[in-house]
Amino acid sequence: PLTSPLVSITNSFLLVILFLQFVFHSYTTGFTLVNGNNTAKAEEYSIQEKQVFYSLGAISYAACVGAFPLVLTNRYTLRSPLTEFIVRKLLPAPLLGLMSAFTAAVVRSPDFEHGIEVMDRNGKVVGVSQKAGEKAVRETALSRGVLFGTTFFLPNVLTHFVQRAKFVKTPRTLAVVRMLFIMLVLSGMLPASFSMFPQRGEIKRADLELEILSSTEETVLFYNRGI
């Protein structure tokens, strides 16, 4: 709630936008590191130097991509009102959602490189599966992309209609209305995105590695997805 409205600022200097994007993605990356898959296997590589470098690279790349619409508007003259609306109002939202999913996938990459623990219905660890790790990372990245993509797309559209209808008179009031829209959508999207996939994920035994297939007769196994 504190960092998200900052990223919505579109009329500012490039360095300011880059900094705000960097702060935002740093926070979400740290959140992903803390709330990843907390199994015994994951703890062995949770602070590997490779994961730290991956995180820094993902944050820097995401910040640059997030600032791309401002670079585009500064470099080229957008003659068409529709083009300006798309680049300045609509494009930043899917980019932010895509980059949020990207950073989550990069930070959680050890989960599908090394695998995560899978358990039976009683919580007994059956083995370590890379395929379960891939599924957990894919679900987490998708939920993160939906969370921030929707949170910024809907307020931009709503603000555009408010502006066209001339419900507000000054740019400052319009900015306040936009921030209010962001906070309202974010408050609804947080529980919605976290509940897209269950925290205790399920995976079919037939989809797992051969060594796990031979170690259990359970048809469905479980894993900790992380947030």
Side-chain angles (χ1 to χ4, degrees):
L2 295 177
T3 58
S4 296
L6 297 178
V7 187
S8 68
I9 298 175
T10 55
N11 298 319
S12 187
F13 295 109
L14 178 60
L15 290 179
V16 174
I17 295 297
L18 279 172
F19 174 74
L20 294 177
Q21 289 275 344
F22 190 87
V23 170
F24 174 80
H25 288 294
S26 296
Y27 172 78
T28 57
T29 298
F31 180 87
T32 304
L33 284 170
V34 173
N35 296 281
N37 182 279
N38 293 321
T39 64
K41 179 65 180 176
E43 291 174 359
E44 296 178 10
Y45 55 82
S46 60
I47 54 175
Q48 278 187 351
E49 290 185 2
K50 183 173 68 172
Q51 192 175 16
V52 174
F53 288 135
Y54 280 0
S55 300
L56 291 175
I59 292 169
S60 301
Y61 178 76
C64 292
V65 173
F68 175 74
L70 182 62
V71 175
L72 195 62
T73 55
N74 288 344
R75 188 176 181 84
Y76 302 100
T77 302
L78 304 178
R79 299 177 180 178
S80 170
L82 178 61
T83 303
E84 183 176 359
F85 173 70
I86 293 174
V87 173
R88 295 182 66 89
K89 303 298 183 180
L90 296 185
L91 184 59
L95 280 181
L96 185 66
L98 181 63
M99 288 300 99
S100 297
F102 169 74
T103 55
V106 171
V107 172
R108 293 282 302 276
S109 60
D111 286 353
F112 56 78
E113 289 179 2
H114 300 270
I116 61 176
E117 292 177 346
V118 291
M119 300 154 283
D120 60 18
R121 296 182 182 276
N122 299 319
K124 179 182 177 182
V125 176
V126 177
V128 175
S129 171
Q130 289 179 311
K131 293 184 178 180
E134 291 175 4
K135 189 170 185 287
V137 173
R138 184 171 61 250
E139 291 173 346
T140 303
L142 179 59
S143 65
R144 194 68 57 81
V146 169
L147 167 62
F148 292 114
T150 305
T151 297
F152 288 98
F153 179 77
L154 285 182
N156 284 344
V157 174
L158 294 173
T159 304
H160 173 71
F161 286 115
V162 168
Q163 187 176 16
R164 289 193 61 181
K166 298 181 180 180
F167 289 137
V168 294
K169 302 297 183 181
T170 65
R172 180 174 297 181
T173 305
L174 184 66
V176 172
V177 171
R178 187 164 181 264
M179 291 293 181
L180 180 61
F181 282 150
I182 290 176
M183 297 303 296
L184 290 175
V185 176
L186 178 62
S187 64
M189 284 304 302
L190 277 171
S193 63
F194 287 162
S195 61
M196 283 180 62
F197 303 100
Q199 183 64 35
R200 190 182 187 218
E202 297 183 5
I203 187 168
K204 295 181 180 179
R205 173 176 171 269
D207 296 334
L208 296 172
E209 291 82 351
L210 292 176
E211 56 269 22
I212 298 179
L213 292 177
S214 60
S215 61
T216 181
E217 296 297 328
E218 295 277 350
T219 57
V220 177
L221 295 172
F222 303 89
Y223 58 89
N224 174 35
R225 179 176 66 86
I227 299 177

